[in-house]
Structures are given as structure tokens and as C-alpha cells.
Amino acid sequence: MPDCAVILLDFTSQADIISTVEFNHTGELLATGDKGGRVVIFQREPESKNEPYSQGEYNVYSTFQSHEPEFDYLKSLEIEEKINKIKWLPQQNAAHSLLSTNDKTIKLWKITERDKRPEGYNLKDEEGKLKDLSTVTSLQVPVLKPMDLMVEVTPRRIFANGHTYHVNSISVNSDCETYMSADDLRINLWHLAITDRSFNIVDIKPANMEDLTEVITASEFHPHHCNLFVYSSSKGSLRLCDMRASALCDKHSKLYEEPEDPSNRSFFSEIISSVSDVKFSHSGRYMLTRDYLTVKVWDLNMETKPVETYQVHDYLRSKLCSLYENDCIFDKFECAWNGSDSVIMTGAYNNFFRMFDRNTKRDVTLEASRESSKPRAILKPRRVCVGGKRRKDDISVDSLDFTKKILHTAWHPTENIIAIAATNNLYIFQDKVNSEMH
Amino acid sequence: MPVETQEERGETASPVGEIQLLRWSLLSWEPLPLSGASLRSHDSWTCSLLVPECRLWDPVHVFLTPVVPQWPFYNLDTMFMRGLKRKCFDGEEDIEGTLAGIKAIPSYNLQRQSLLDMSLVKLQLCHMLVEPNLCRSVLIANTVRQIQEEMTQDGTWQMINMQNTGQASVDRLVSTDILCRSSREQAEGKHVPGYSTFSKDFEGDQAQDSSETMSTASSVQALRNLQSNVWEMENSQENKGNFQKSLDQIFETLENKSPNSVEDLFSEVDNSYYDLDTMLTGMMSNTKMGHCDGLEPFPSPTTTTSSSNCKSDLNELDHIVEILVES
């Protein structure tokens, strides 16, 4: 059972709705982006022998304003500053780097620490003012003195004007030199060092916009093969593309699509089949997709159907019309693998999130709420009852709060630590019993 | 930061003046906590849920939440499921009683029709200050096309076109739950209206059904009685060609966001639309359908508006946005 380690942040304004959560490659840092264009980075405190119970708490490391609201004067439209995605670059030196993007512009930020300060300049005094040269009688070598840790964040690159439509995903290539950004109709390949040029590798825009029936919803590079990437569509299909095949990868190498179940067909079939997130497994062998009601595990070698399908909240199937009316049916939930690819996790409504163990086929529903998340309290599994027998503490489908949705979740790359974004609040849970992967 | 406009200073007489006053006073309010929406509680269902969130408009959103009347399609699933199972629930008799002239279980075609109306309205709600979500628009448009194709196959389309224009009734409560259920469930013996009953249904509903449901502004008809007769809706296009044109226009608008294209989209609609829009929030489209009830203190819009007035309103909108963005 996951154990609640700490609850962080509490805001009540719209601008503080968390819009993305991402661990870095070691899990030491956790970045969150919000609707107000800010990025907050948390750092895990090293375990100390003195206080073993507070091992590995995440504390605020740095906060910065990544994107500002802009106004597109040509179209008379506002460009939201909401951070859609954050992706960490693999660490290559003492500094950390991440990419953050809003609807239109991607920025590369460098995060550095400064804990020493040079003192003893010859020409400047302590405040930085120029010294009167007549008072300088001897030369000294400046020495580095320790100072309070200061975290500096600087924008190193700004990749602008690459997208006409809204950027929905970014993904860093395993070659650590390039990355791709995907909007509704196009995917661009960028070099991390070059901001005035990008290559279009996928373009599904029809010649006549009236013929538009499908958009790109998510995309990701393969974790090991730098030539492979996948993108998902609003019609529920996945396309694996090989960049070696051609410059423009409009022709997929593999198309992953499950035939529609004719007995389950309704007017909402297409909408609920739209894939909202796609994630490669750490092994690179599988893909995880999330559509409105299910999560599916696909084997890269099998295009005809997923190898595993898990129902997230099938009790909503009879409520699709109401969910269409209030737009909840368009909510984009994310999904996540654990470090060993044995457990998958995704969010749902009422601040519930679900975990599925692929080996034991067991699943659990947990709630991220203040009441159930006292420090060191163990999360209680929740149940949604559909009618019929109702146990104590069960929640009925009609009592679910559809404004409390968990869209963004992240799993630590190696340990059983998860970060859950519930509207304005960030929860971090740790599995105390099984800290190691199994 | 409130900015005094020419209108506020009394230098020009324009209905826009009062609109701007409204805007500034709204911005100084504290945002109220939004009530959680749940499927059980009818009271918290509001139209505002259809409004995409936008930072600039949040206070407006909050202000309008308590006064927005219920969307007629609320809680369809539960309502319909109860009726289907033929159980007696408290208050259920009232609902079934008001469905006079309509079967207790609305026909599949009626439900499909209301889904179509809902979808068309949703597509129009896209014209906000922020660029609309293309994925959502595409999915809704595909749903609309799907319904349209099915209706064409049914022959329903031609039948609707042949009818004369009728007055929509607010009593036209429809449930679209049957649309949510799979065809397998339908085959399992639940009530499935066959084609033999179709014409009977249709005749019965004719008086209440709106035949101009194909037009982009049709669903407003259903809300007429809820409002203070501010709008006069036209009985406009009824044929497939115009419907397709409307869809195309919507997509063109999505592609080229400009005041002109928005204007084109509504060129067939009575211009009193624009008055209400500028009155409410200066938004470019008929996003807030049922807000008239909450606007009693404000003067009713002038009955005659020209498109040039609309143009100047849109310029005012730009001006307002610039000020808001800078502040």
C-alpha cells in the first residue's frame, strides 16, 4: 500500500492549476508546470540517518516563470501561457536542463547551482563599486568563499514560430541532440542547439481543412532507437514511424489499431477511442496508451490489437451523453509506467487514480485528497459501486465529482514514488513497504 | 485596473459603454469557489460548464454561474434509465407528465436530433478569445457528420426538410441515453422504436419539434421560453446543403481566426445576436445561451444593429483585451 510521504502546495486560483508533472532521469528532481506559466522544481532531500522516517522528502528547489501570456495580433487570439509539457534532458554536467512548452513556443532552461562566491577583487569593492585606484596598493588573488545555495535558472534557447497549431507534446531523442514537438497536425524535429530551424517530419493537414477528420494527440521518441517515434491520433490509432525511411514520415512503418467492437458502437465511440497519451515502456518493447475509458498495453511487434486492456472507469460508459454535454468526455488523461514496467498508473475523476499490476492482474483505486493523506498514513483503496450491493465507504457513480480530475501523474524512474497532480495540489506518495522495484 | 473609457466619461453615447462598465466591475470581484458539478445534483449543472476556461474570463464565468438556467439536456442518463426500467421514483411522475404528446421514452430519432443540436451548439462555442481546441472541434464535427449520415440513410433528413417550420417547445425534454447504450443492449429487449412507429412519433412531435434543427442556431429555439424574448430567431436553412456549409464555415473559422470569418459564420443569423454578445462579455459568438435571465438590470439591446456596429464592437473588444493583457 502506498504510504503518503508529504503533501505539497495549496493554491486556490486558476493560474495554479498544475498542467504537467515530470521526474528527471534520476528521480532526484520533480518539475511541475501550471496554468500560469510557472515551473516549480522539487528536489529530493538526501536520506539522513538522523531522521529515517523523513527519507527522501521533496522540497521546493526552484520556481521560475517559464512562459508569459502572449497575444497573436494577426489572429486576434490570446496564446495561453499554460505549460503543456515539461521534459528533462539527460544530465551531462553539473547543470540540469529541461524543455518546457506552451501552445506555441518551446524553451530550453538551464538550472545551475551556485554555492560559492569570489571575494577579494582588485578593482571592485564588496558592494561591486569601482575602487578608487589610488587606494589600491597591492594585488590580491580573489578567493572563492562559500555562500548560501542559490539556484539560477536561465533560458538558453527559445524555439519559436515552429507551430501553427497547439503543441501537445515534446519528446527528447535518445541521441540527446534532437527533440520533437507535436501539434495537432504536424510534428517538427529540432536540434537542441539550433532555434531558427526545424524539420517537419509528420504533416497530416489535409489540403482542404474541411476534410479534416483526424488530429495528432500525443507523440514520443523510442527510448533506445533514435530513429523511431510513435504518434497517436484522435481516431484511436498509433503510428510508429522510422525517420530513416524518408524525410517526411507521413507513411507509417507500423499502424496499431484495434478494430471497433460493433456491439459497443454508439455515437460516442470515436470520441472515447481518441488516444490522450502514449508512453513507451522503459524496456522499449511496449507502448501504453490511454483513451477515455481504458488503458492499453501494445506490443511493438503486434499491430492488430493491444496485448492488454484495463478498464479504468467502465461505469462511465452509460453516462457518456452527460459527459459529452459537460465536455468531460474530452478530458485528456495521462498514463505512466513504473520503473520496471510491471505496474501502470493513470488518473480518473473524483481525485481517484488507478494502478494496474500487469503480472498479478490486480488493480487498485486510490484517492488523492487531503482528508485521506495525512503524513505517514496509508492510503485506503476506494471503490465505485454501480448499483447493486454497496459496501461501506463505497462511492456511487452519481456522487463522483467530475471537476476533480487527475489528468497528470508521474512515476519515479527507479523507485515506487509517484507524483499526482490534483487540480491545484500536488501529492507525492511513496510505497514504504516495497521501496525497491519488483 | 479600471480604465475610464470615453463612454464612461459620457463623451459618447453607445451601448458599449455600459458593457465596459460591467466588465470592470466584474474584474474587481473575488472569484467565488465554483460548486462541484456532479451527475446527481441537478442544481449545480449549469451552461457554464460548456464554456472553455480562459484566464481573462474567469470572473465572468463565476458571475454567471448561479443565474444560468438549466440546460434542457441535464441528467439525461439517469432520467432515461429510470423511465426505461418503469420504476416509480419520486418526482418522476411529474417529468413523465410534462412529456405530454411525447412518448415517455423519447424516440431514438428525437434523441439523435437533440444530440445533433447539442453538437452544433458546442461547435459554435469554440469562438472564444483563446484559439479553440482543434481536437475537440474535430471530434464534435465527426459526431455531427456521423449523425447526419445516419439520418440521410434513414431518410429522416428528407422528412424533416419537408415539414413546415414549427415552434420549438421548452417541453421538448429529450433523453439521449439510448444513444449511449450499445446496440447489443438495445437488442436485448429494451425499448427500441422501430421504423413502423417512426412516422407516428414524428407526427406527434411535429408541433413541438423544430424543423430548423439543421441550422446552426437551431438549439436556441428550445430555450426561448426561458428567456425574456430578447432574441428573435430566424427559421432559416433546413436543407443539407446549408448544413454542410455551416460545418465548413466552422472549420474555416477554426483555420483563419479573424473577426471577419466569425461574422460570416453568423451572417445568416439575425443581428440581434451581436447585441447580446457585446452586452454580456464582448465575446465574439453566441456562447452564453441562457444568460438573459441574469441580465435584468441591464438595458435590453437595441433592436436594430448593423454589421458595422458589430465591427466596432469587435474593435472595442481588441482594445479591451489589450488593456487587460497589459494589466
Side-chain angles (χ1 to χ4, degrees):
Chain A
M1 287 305 139
D3 179 14
C4 176
V6 64
I7 301 169
L8 304 165
L9 301 183
D10 173 33
F11 300 89
T12 48
S13 74
Q14 280 276 317
D16 299 308
I17 293 178
I18 300 171
S19 51
T20 185
V21 186
E22 189 81 8
F23 280 100
N24 76 337
H25 294 278
T26 60
E28 183 208 352
L29 298 175
L30 173 67
T32 63
D34 67 21
K35 220 172 162 191
R38 277 175 314 225
V39 172
V40 181
I41 303 177
F42 300 87
Q43 186 187 42
R44 193 175 186 197
E45 296 304 319
E47 296 180 26
S48 69
K49 297 187 184 66
N50 298 334
E51 298 171 354
Y53 60 83
S54 71
Q55 81 185 60
E57 274 189 16
Y58 282 84
N59 295 322
V60 178
Y61 179 65
S62 170
T63 306
F64 61 95
Q65 185 76 32
S66 169
H67 286 74
E68 298 277 1
E70 290 168 46
F71 196 76
D72 183 340
Y73 293 96
L74 268 177
K75 293 185 185 177
S76 290
L77 286 173
E78 192 189 67
I79 300 171
E80 279 191 312
E81 69 275 29
K82 172 169 77 96
I83 308 294
N84 292 336
K85 279 287 186 302
I86 290 175
K87 283 283 168 4
W88 290 92
L89 267 56
Q91 192 177 8
Q92 285 165 340
N93 49 37
H96 292 100
S97 301
L98 59 79
L99 287 169
S100 67
T101 183
N102 69 347
D103 283 339
K104 298 284 185 185
T105 307
I106 306 126
K107 294 187 183 179
L108 174 66
W109 295 89
K110 189 161 119 173
I111 301 130
T112 48
E113 287 183 6
R114 189 193 291 271
D115 61 354
K116 292 185 187 55
R117 187 169 52 124
E119 279 178 21
Y121 283 105
N122 289 296
L123 297 176
K124 286 188 291 185
D125 64 14
E126 292 305 312
E127 281 94 51
K129 288 198 295 236
L130 285 174
K131 281 186 197 170
D132 184 3
L133 285 179
S134 57
T135 62
V136 177
T137 50
S138 63
L139 288 177
Q140 56 182 348
V141 177
V143 290
L144 290 174
K145 295 268 175 69
M147 59 179 258
D148 290 338
L149 179 66
M150 200 166 71
V151 179
E152 295 174 334
V153 182
T154 47
R156 298 305 298 240
R157 306 267 189 275
I158 296 181
F159 305 91
N161 304 318
H163 290 279
T164 308
Y165 302 96
H166 291 178
V167 175
N168 53 51
S169 40
I170 50 176
S171 177
V172 183
N173 204 345
S174 49
D175 65 7
C176 303
E177 283 189 1
T178 57
Y179 76 95
M180 70 165 165
S181 57
D183 66 28
D184 293 317
L185 297 177
R186 299 191 179 100
I187 302 182
N188 291 339
L189 182 72
W190 304 80
H191 193 283
L192 283 165
I194 299 169
T195 59
D196 60 356
R197 215 178 323 155
S198 79
F199 295 95
N200 177 240
I201 51 177
V202 173
D203 188 342
I204 63 167
K205 183 179 174 189
N208 193 350
M209 273 299 269
E210 293 160 12
D211 300 331
L212 179 65
T213 55
E214 195 173 7
V215 299
I216 298 170
T217 51
S219 68
E220 200 185 35
F221 266 120
H222 192 279
H224 308 310
H225 303 298
C226 57
N227 55 298
L228 290 179
F229 67 93
V230 69
Y231 70 91
S232 61
S233 81
S234 57
K235 287 202 167 162
S237 63
L238 300 167
R239 284 176 173 80
L240 185 74
C241 299
D242 190 333
M243 291 199 290
R244 299 170 300 187
S246 66
L248 190 62
C249 302
D250 276 356
K251 272 184 73 174
H252 54 262
S253 296
K254 280 184 186 290
L255 172 66
Y256 301 83
E257 206 167 20
E258 187 174 21
E260 198 179 6
D261 180 8
S263 62
N264 257 338
R265 181 146 173 68
S266 74
F267 282 117
F268 306 107
S269 295
E270 187 187 315
I271 300 180
I272 62 169
S273 72
S274 170
V275 174
S276 54
D277 193 20
V278 63
K279 292 261 166 54
F280 277 105
S281 64
H282 291 91
S283 61
R285 168 89 190 269
Y286 299 99
M287 293 184 294
L288 180 65
T289 60
R290 174 72 155 97
D291 52 64
Y292 192 63
L293 296 178
T294 67
V295 281
K296 295 177 179 163
V297 177
W298 300 78
D299 187 325
L300 249 63
N301 301 317
M302 187 161 81
E303 302 165 74
T304 50
K305 61 183 170 78
V307 289
E308 294 157 32
T309 302
Y310 301 94
Q311 302 293 332
V312 180
H313 39 203
D314 201 52
Y315 44 79
L316 296 183
R317 201 176 283 273
S318 57
K319 309 275 182 198
L320 289 179
C321 201
S322 303
L323 294 165
Y324 178 70
E325 181 202 337
N326 66 8
D327 269 9
C328 280
I329 207 174
F330 301 108
D331 286 336
K332 294 197 189 307
F333 291 94
E334 289 175 10
C335 51
W337 296 91
N338 75 336
S340 61
D341 298 335
S342 58
V343 183
I344 54 187
M345 169 173 70
T346 188
Y349 292 107
N350 209 73
N351 279 352
F352 287 167
F353 59 99
R354 304 260 285 139
M355 285 191 199
F356 303 91
D357 190 321
R358 295 178 61 212
N359 300 325
T360 65
K361 301 298 180 202
R362 282 198 331 224
D363 63 86
V364 68
T365 304
L366 300 166
E367 185 178 0
S369 75
R370 211 179 292 265
E371 293 77 36
S372 60
S373 307
K374 303 285 183 296
R376 289 191 294 285
I378 292 182
L379 285 182
K380 198 178 51 174
R382 306 305 309 266
R383 227 174 73 101
V384 179
C385 70
V386 201
K389 270 197 288 189
R390 191 195 153 144
R391 292 184 224 156
K392 178 178 172 281
D393 288 342
D394 275 4
I395 303 232
S396 80
V397 186
D398 297 322
S399 317
L400 292 175
D401 189 343
F402 287 82
T403 60
K404 294 188 185 162
K405 45 192 104 172
I406 292 181
L407 302 172
H408 312 287
T409 59
W411 205 307
H412 190 286
T414 51
E415 295 185 34
N416 275 345
I417 299 173
I418 55 178
I420 310 283
T423 320
N424 300 334
N425 301 319
L426 179 72
Y427 294 87
I428 299 183
F429 299 113
Q430 183 172 15
D431 191 358
K432 266 295 198 326
V433 177
N434 299 308
S435 290
E436 305 305 317
M437 287 290 139
H438 53 92
Chain B
M1 281 293 278
V3 170
E4 221 182 21
T5 64
Q6 277 188 329
E7 288 76 14
E8 286 174 278
R9 290 196 291 268
E11 288 171 47
T12 60
S14 153
V16 176
E18 271 132 1
I19 301 143
Q20 296 185 346
L21 247 164
L22 162 66
R23 178 185 316 290
W24 302 132
S25 58
L26 286 176
L27 283 176
S28 64
W29 290 15
E30 289 296 320
L32 300 171
L34 292 172
S35 60
S38 72
L39 284 177
R40 175 193 55 186
S41 159
H42 297 195
D43 295 336
S44 51
W45 256 159
T46 64
C47 279
S48 58
L49 284 169
L50 294 173
V51 176
E53 284 170 338
C54 175
R55 184 178 64 96
L56 288 179
W57 309 108
D58 282 341
V60 180
H61 181 202
V62 166
F63 167 69
L64 290 169
T65 298
V67 302
V68 170
Q70 309 281 335
W71 187 263
F73 312 108
Y74 64 77
N75 209 0
L76 308 159
D77 313 293
T78 324
M79 222 169 73
F80 183 81
M81 298 242 277
R82 285 176 177 173
L84 247 195
K85 289 171 187 166
R86 300 218 190 327
K87 283 184 188 170
C88 254
F89 287 90
D90 292 340
E92 223 39 54
E93 296 87 357
D94 296 333
I95 293 173
E96 285 176 18
T98 57
L99 292 171
I102 304 177
K103 286 193 164 189
I105 297 153
S107 71
Y108 174 82
N109 296 289
L110 218 71
Q111 294 151 19
R112 186 176 57 185
Q113 187 65 59
S114 65
L115 182 68
L116 180 65
D117 293 343
M118 200 200 302
S119 305
L120 289 171
V121 166
K122 276 182 181 299
L123 281 175
Q124 293 178 62
L125 288 179
C126 297
H127 302 301
M128 307 291 280
L129 201 60
V130 185
E131 213 165 341
N133 185 339
L134 188 64
C135 181
R136 176 178 171 273
S137 308
V138 165
L139 288 173
I140 298 172
N142 288 350
T143 309
V144 165
R145 275 202 200 97
Q146 208 180 328
I147 299 174
Q148 178 197 347
E149 276 164 22
E150 200 181 283
M151 284 175 119
T152 314
Q153 281 166 12
D154 283 353
T156 316
W157 201 274
Q158 282 74 20
M159 285 210 66
I160 288 173
N161 294 339
M162 279 173 348
Q163 300 299 330
N164 256 343
T165 65
Q167 297 292 320
S169 163
V170 74
D171 291 335
R172 189 190 70 169
L173 288 175
V174 288
S175 168
T176 51
D177 176 70
I178 197 169
L179 301 170
C180 308
R181 292 180 300 131
S182 64
S183 53
R184 175 188 55 202
E185 285 176 25
Q186 291 188 11
E188 276 168 11
K190 307 252 166 115
H191 176 83
V192 177
Y195 284 120
S196 55
T197 60
F198 166 69
S199 51
K200 191 160 64 112
D201 285 341
F202 199 74
E203 271 170 65
D205 303 337
Q206 206 186 100
Q208 289 120 346
D209 199 4
S210 168
S211 61
E212 70 275 17
T213 51
M214 292 304 117
S215 85
T216 56
S218 62
S219 52
V220 178
Q221 282 279 8
L223 297 167
R224 260 182 88 158
N225 295 350
L226 297 173
Q227 298 163 14
S228 49
N229 294 321
V230 176
W231 293 333
E232 288 299 318
M233 292 309 304
E234 289 178 6
N235 295 330
S236 47
Q237 317 79 357
E238 297 162 14
N239 55 57
K240 187 174 171 182
N242 278 327
F243 169 76
Q244 187 58 42
K245 184 173 160 211
S246 307
L247 246 195
D248 296 347
Q249 277 178 333
I250 286 164
F251 271 121
E252 271 174 40
T253 315
L254 292 172
E255 158 114 87
N256 331 306
K257 275 300 297 178
S258 69
N260 279 329
S261 47
V262 173
E263 216 181 305
D264 288 341
L265 190 64
F266 292 103
S267 58
E268 287 125 356
V269 175
D270 185 40
N271 280 330
S272 57
Y273 248 23
Y274 291 117
D275 263 336
L276 193 64
D277 276 340
T278 52
M279 251 192 74
L280 284 169
T281 55
M283 290 189 205
M284 291 185 219
S285 72
N286 61 331
T287 58
K288 317 267 184 177
M289 297 294 203
H291 293 163
C292 294
D293 282 346
L295 292 172
E296 280 124 18
F298 299 102
S300 47
T302 57
T303 48
T304 55
T305 2
S306 61
S307 49
S308 62
N309 205 5
C310 168
K311 259 273 177 63
S312 69
D313 292 341
L314 292 170
N315 289 333
E316 294 286 353
L317 174 66
D318 285 344
H319 175 64
I320 290 162
V321 167
E322 272 179 45
I323 294 166
L324 288 172
V325 167
E326 282 161 29
S327 62

